Structure formats: structure tokens, C-alpha cells
């Protein structure tokens, strides 16, 4: 099994013109079928509340479950079916990480709705339940000692960062665009209390792309992952850093996204190939589709041709940010 997906996710429709629409998944599923990659897909069973409780307050869960029609923020609406689909999305993430653990293989969870903006008692930014935090907690409570979360969505994962800021058993590394939603993810925030040194933020300016990400991975993300020695790597994977994306303005190409994924799969060779990609954002459906297909293809040994490969950043525009992050991180890591 490589891909984890639930039909029910199509039923999550915030409003007809919302960018986080079911067409995103329809595009991906169609693409995977076209490339012969849809023979290896697993669905999840209804989300279990016990798995949500270590991450979210019971009051918040009850509110989501019972409010009927309400809104968490202007662009994060709750309908009567939202809680159930969000809980299934969280379960999808858990199942993909558990499968990866049992079989020593990378997995891709088509989590929808996404999760990384959701905190203990709030949802925002199209997120209701923090899928990746829920999966990380599940692994930590079933024998794992250290989990690394790499957040490659263009937005900072404020929810994930906050949930784990004080912990040293969860490493959180985020690359994101600065100056856009949600506004968190400053390079000088390195965690709290026991967790100091276990949060790394790289807030890149508009325009940063391929060469910036290549450098961030080789100079910082890879060495820190090697030293942390995680039992598994979980990836908040968005494709909204793509130059085609309508919601942000970084300039990653499709191949740039694929290299990010490859780097993480290579890092995971040191933890029995335990790496799980969980879908976060990505709002240009053709770009989202080709990138996800290429990553799943990489996992399965199938080559997927990429179309959106313009290189817009070949001079490491984000070097200053990477250096500032390295300077902060070098207090805690050998860099
Ligand atoms: N003026 C994810 O990619 N935009 N969420 C708010 C407010 C919210 C993105 C704009 C973007 C949320 C999972
Ligand atoms: Zn995003």
C-alpha cells in the first residue's frame, strides 16, 4: 500500500468557490489512475475520538461535532458532516504512518481536510483537526521515541508548531513564505522550555524557490535530521509553494517539489524508510496533481513526466534566511 485515501473526503465542501475544494483530490486521483498508480490504495475506518484527544481539547472536539453549521474563521466553515470527515482524514494519516512502520516503506496520505493550522482548541486556514500532530502522538504512544515533522507547505504550520513547541521528542522544521497567512514562523522562534532547539523556521520571501530549497535541505534540514535520529519522518506536504499556486508567491517548480520529497525519502533510509507524506495545501490542481503523482511514482519506481518546470530561483534567493536559521540552530546542532 502506498496511497491512503477516503472517498468521503469528496463530501467536504466548504462552499462552492472555496479554493480547498474536492476537485483537488479528483485531480490527484485521476492523475494516479492515468499513471497506473491507483492499484495500491487503502481507505480508513471512521476516525476514533481517543486518537484525537491527546492533541485536541475535548470541548473543542465536542464543539466541532455538535455545532451543526458554524464558522471557525471566515474561510474555515463547519457543516454537519465536517467533523466526521476531518476525523477520517486524521485516521488516514495515522493509518499511513502505521503501515509505513509495519512495512518499512514510504507512504502518501491524501488527507483532506488538511490539518497543520489547527491547534489544541481552534481551527483555521481550512484546517479542523491537526492530522500530522495526531499521527505523531499516536506513534509516540505506541513505542516510538522521536518523531521529526518537516512542514513543506508554503504556509507556516502554526498549529503543529504550537502543539509541539515545548517538546524535545518532536522536531518541527518548517519552510514557508513570510508575510502571508498565518503570520507565525519567525526564524528566531526555536521552541520553548524543554523543546528549545527542536523548532526550526525558515520564512522565505516571495520569489524564493528551487535553489533555496535545495540549499535549505543540504545545509540544514539533512544534517539536523541525521543528528536527531528520528524513528520516523512525517511530512506536512503542500504544493502551494509552486509558482503556479494562486494563494502564495514562492517559485518552486514541480521538479523542485519532487527533490524535496526525494531528499526526505533519502533521509528516511536511516529510519527503515519510515516517511509519510500528508497532504496539506496546493491550490493549482494541475501542479498539485503532477507533483503528487511524481512522488507516488518515485515510491513505486514509476517515472512521471513533469510539465511545470520553469526555474525562477537559481541563485538561492533565501540564503540570508537559511544562514540566520543555521546561526540559531547551531546553538543546539552541529552545523
Ligand atoms: N486574508 C493551507 O494551505 N488564507 N491553508 C487567508 C486571509 C488562508 C491555507 C487569507 C490560507 C490557508 C492548508
Ligand atoms: Zn498552505
Amino acid at each position: 500500500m502506498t496511497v491512503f485515501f477516503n472517498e468521503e473526503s469528496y463530501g467536504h465542501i466548504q462552499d462552492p468557490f472555496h479554493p480547498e475544494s474536492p476537485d483537488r483530490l479528483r485531480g490527484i486521483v485521476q492523475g494516479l489512475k492515468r499513471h497506473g498508480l491507483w492499484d495500491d490504495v487503502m481507505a480508513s475506518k471512521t476516525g476514533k475520538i481517543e486518537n484525537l484527544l491527546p492533541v485536541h481539547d475535548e470541548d473543542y472536539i465536542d464543539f466541532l461535532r455538535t455545532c451543526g453549521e458554524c464558522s471557525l474563521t471566515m474561510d474555515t466553515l463547519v457543516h454537519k458532516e465536517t467533523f466526521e470527515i476531518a476525523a477520517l482524514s486524521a485516521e488516514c494519516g495515522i493509518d499511513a504512518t502505521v503501515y509505513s512502520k509495519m512495512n518499512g516503506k514510504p507512504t502518501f496520505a491524501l488527507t483532506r481536510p488538511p490539518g497543520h493550522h489547527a491547534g489544541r482548541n481552534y481551527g483555521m486556514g481550512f484546517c479542523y483537526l491537526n492530522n500530522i500532530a495526531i499521527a505523531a502522538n499516536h506513534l509516540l504512544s505506541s513505542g516510538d521515541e522521536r518523531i521529526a515533522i518537516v512542514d513543506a507547505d508554503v504556509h507556516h504550520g502554526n498549529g503543529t508548531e504550537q502543539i509541539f513547541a515545548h517538546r524535545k521528542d518532536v522536531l518541527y522544521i518548517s519552510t514557508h513564505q513570510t508575510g502571508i497567512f498565518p503570520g507565525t514562523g519567525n526564524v528566531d522562534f526555536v521552541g520553548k522550555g524543554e523543546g528549545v532547539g527542536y523548532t526550526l523556521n525558515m520564512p522565505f520571501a516571495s520569489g524564493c524557490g528551487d535553489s533555496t530549497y535545495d540549499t535549505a535541505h543540504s545545509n540544514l534540514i539533512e544534517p539536523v535530521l541525521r543528528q536527531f535520529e528520528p524513528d520516523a519522518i512525517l511530512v506536512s506536504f503542500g504544493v502551494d509553494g509552486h509558482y503556479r499556486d494562486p494563494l502564495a508567491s514562492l517559485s518552486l517548480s514541480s521538479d523542485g517539489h519532487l527533490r524535496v520529497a526525494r531528499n526526505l525519502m533519502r533521509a528516511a533510509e536511516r529510519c527503515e524508510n519510515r516517511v509519510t507524506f500528508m497532504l496539506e495545501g496546493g491550490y493549482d490542481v494541475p501542479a498539485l496533481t503532477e507533483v503528487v503523482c511524481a512522488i507516488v511514482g518515485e515510491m513505486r519506481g514509476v517515472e512521471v513526466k513533469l510539465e511545470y518546470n520553469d526555474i525562477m530561483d537559481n541563485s538561492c534567493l533565501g540564503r540570508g534566511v537559511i544562514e540566520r536559521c543555521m546561526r540559531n540552530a547551531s546553538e543546539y546542532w552541529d552545523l
Side-chain angles (χ1 to χ4, degrees), residues 20 75 114-117 125-127 153-155 181 240 247 280-283:
E20 204 292 277
D75 54 21
H116 73 155
H117 296 305
F126 322 158
C127 302
D153 187 274
V154 79
H155 303 99
F181 180 89
D240 37 12
L247 262 57
E280 299 284 0
Y283 305 98

Side-chain angles (χ1 to χ4, degrees), residues 15-334:
D15 75 57
F17 299 101
H18 200 287
E20 204 292 277
S21 91
D23 289 343
R24 299 174 60 238
L25 282 190
R26 286 196 187 94
I28 293 171
V29 170
Q30 229 176 57
L32 289 171
K33 287 182 175 163
R34 209 167 44 235
H35 288 98
L37 294 166
W38 194 254
D39 51 356
D40 196 21
V41 180
M42 192 160 129
S44 297
K45 301 223 162 52
T46 310
K48 295 187 209 66
I49 293 191
E50 312 88 85
N51 288 333
L52 313 179
L53 280 172
V55 168
H56 294 288
D57 290 345
E58 195 162 7
D59 290 352
Y60 173 63
I61 294 172
D62 283 343
F63 171 75
L64 276 183
R65 228 179 36 196
T66 57
C67 88
E69 299 284 318
C70 60
S71 52
L72 305 181
T73 65
M74 253 173 45
D75 54 21
T76 310
L77 311 182
V78 181
H79 305 300
K80 60 182 188 324
E81 66 282 2
T82 305
F83 173 75
E84 213 174 321
I85 303 174
L88 189 60
S89 182
E91 203 67 29
C92 177
I94 292 178
D95 288 348
T97 59
V98 170
Y99 184 89
S100 180
K101 176 174 182 167
M102 305 313 272
N103 296 277
K105 284 184 186 156
T107 49
F108 205 122
L110 296 176
T111 39
R112 181 173 183 272
H116 73 155
H117 296 305
R120 288 207 75 80
N121 57 1
Y122 59 88
M124 63 192 269
F126 322 158
C127 302
Y128 306 86
L129 299 171
N130 196 312
N131 306 319
I132 206 157
I134 291 164
N137 250 296
H138 184 267
L139 293 175
L140 289 167
S141 63
S142 44
D144 286 329
E145 287 175 3
R146 282 178 307 282
I147 301 296
I149 297 178
V150 177
D151 194 322
D153 187 274
V154 79
H155 303 99
H156 179 244
N158 59 292
T160 313
E161 178 188 88
Q162 195 179 34
I163 289 164
F164 296 121
H166 59 286
R167 287 171 56 165
K168 60 176 185 191
D169 53 352
V170 179
L171 171 68
Y172 179 74
I173 306 180
S174 177
T175 50
H176 49 273
Q177 184 176 340
T178 186
I180 62 168
F181 180 89
T184 48
N186 192 285
V187 66
D188 291 324
F189 183 75
V190 294
K192 284 187 192 163
E194 281 226 301
V196 165
Y198 293 86
T199 296
L200 280 79
N201 283 315
M202 280 167 270
F204 295 125
S206 161
C208 291
D210 288 25
S211 57
T212 294
Y213 276 68
D214 291 342
T215 308
H217 275 264
S218 59
N219 293 7
L220 186 51
I221 299 176
E222 280 161 29
V224 172
L225 283 177
R226 181 169 300 123
Q227 290 164 49
F228 182 63
E229 296 187 334
D231 293 305
I233 301 171
L234 310 187
V235 187
S236 265
F237 196 77
V239 186
D240 37 12
H242 201 284
Y243 61 78
R244 285 179 55 99
D245 196 86
L247 262 57
S249 54
L250 292 189
S251 70
L252 276 170
S253 68
S254 291
D255 199 51
H257 278 92
L258 177 59
R259 287 199 304 280
V260 165
R262 272 199 196 118
N263 288 333
L264 296 168
M265 287 192 253
R266 186 158 347 101
E269 287 170 4
R270 288 187 302 275
C271 52
E272 283 131 42
N273 298 308
R274 291 182 57 191
V275 56
T276 297
F277 295 81
M278 297 192 199
L279 189 62
E280 299 284 0
Y283 305 98
D284 178 72
V285 174
L288 174 68
T289 298
E290 72 170 21
V291 168
V292 173
C293 288
I295 296 173
V296 174
E298 182 86 16
M299 294 172 179
R300 299 273 311 274
V302 173
E303 201 195 330
V304 171
K305 286 254 175 305
L306 297 170
E307 216 174 311
Y308 306 119
N309 267 333
D310 302 348
I311 312 292
M312 297 173 175
D313 171 13
N314 58 15
S315 60
C316 195
L317 293 171
R319 186 175 303 281
V321 172
I322 296 170
E323 282 170 359
R324 283 180 61 191
C325 186
M326 285 178 73
R327 204 169 318 130
N328 289 338
S330 63
E331 302 249 339
Y332 315 99
W333 306 94
D334 193 7

